[in-house]
Amino acid sequence: MLKVPYFNNIEVEISDTENIDEKSAITAIDNFLALTEENRIADSDHIFAYYKDFHECVGGEDWLDEEMGIPECPTDIWKYVKPNRMISIEKGYDVDDNWYIIMEANCDWEEEHGLMLVWRNGTTLTKVGGYDGHLTNVNAYANKKMINVVYAASNPEYTTFLNSN
């Protein structure tokens, strides 16, 4: 079991260790395990944007607010996130030589698709959203212009980008 300081030292396992014999994969895992609570707080805007976008799409004021409560600020969003105890690591596709750490989580606002968090090389949160199996938004949307998009929102007002927090 590995302790993840980013999530208050919860213990996780790596789901498939067969593919992590490369030094760069091990480095990505080490980088991820070095992320702290401060990193999580800095990443809050991306997860909060996912919540706000979902809330707006489903008319959350009609039912979600009562069911879940209302986060007062972006950092409060973590109260509604429950990380799974499993992470995976995957190599990027085609010419993408990066390694990605993937963690799924349950979230109170989107029970069906949950929350997928992806860190490039274990250091940078580069994709947030419902679980779709894609490592990047470039892959998910087959659009190279989305290289810096972290959360791809239905309402563009909530789209977040690298270094936006």
Side-chain angles (χ1 to χ4, degrees):
M1 295 292 256
L2 306 169
K3 288 188 178 184
V4 181
Y6 187 93
F7 285 111
N8 297 321
N9 289 318
I10 65 165
E11 292 184 343
V12 301
E13 291 182 56
I14 301 172
S15 64
D16 182 8
T17 56
E18 289 179 18
N19 299 323
I20 59 168
D21 53 357
E22 287 187 37
K23 184 178 184 213
S24 51
I26 294 166
T27 299
I29 293 168
D30 289 343
N31 291 340
F32 175 69
L33 296 175
L35 294 176
T36 65
E37 180 181 1
E38 288 78 25
N39 297 111
R40 185 182 76 230
I41 290 167
D43 290 338
S44 298
D45 288 341
H46 303 296
I47 291 77
F48 191 64
Y50 176 32
Y51 158 76
K52 295 288 285 180
D53 191 39
F54 182 84
H55 185 278
E56 183 176 288
C57 286
V58 301
E61 63 280 353
D62 296 332
W63 62 276
L64 185 60
D65 292 351
E66 185 177 319
E67 188 174 297
M68 180 181 123
I70 303 170
E72 293 182 28
C73 63
T75 57
D76 283 348
I77 199 63
W78 296 106
K79 295 175 189 172
Y80 307 95
V81 173
K82 291 143 197 90
N84 293 348
R85 302 299 177 136
M86 194 70 65
I87 61 171
S88 57
I89 182 165
E90 292 183 34
K91 181 102 181 227
Y93 306 132
D94 298 325
V95 296
D96 183 353
D97 288 334
N98 295 295
W99 283 91
Y100 294 89
I101 305 293
I102 304 104
M103 178 180 261
E104 294 177 51
N106 294 318
C107 58
D108 292 348
W109 66 92
E110 205 340 348
E111 293 178 2
E112 184 177 345
H113 298 106
L115 172 62
M116 180 179 179
L117 304 161
V118 182
W119 291 266
R120 183 181 56 231
N121 295 319
T123 60
T124 307
L125 186 64
T126 55
K127 185 168 183 290
V128 166
Y131 185 80
D132 65 6
H134 294 284
L135 299 175
T136 67
N137 283 305
V138 170
N139 297 133
Y141 295 94
N143 182 347
K144 291 182 182 182
K145 291 181 182 178
M146 297 188 77
I147 189 81
N148 291 317
V149 173
V150 178
Y151 174 64
S154 299
N155 177 343
E157 173 185 342
Y158 298 118
T159 295
T160 65
F161 301 90
L162 289 174
N163 301 319
S164 70
N165 43 7

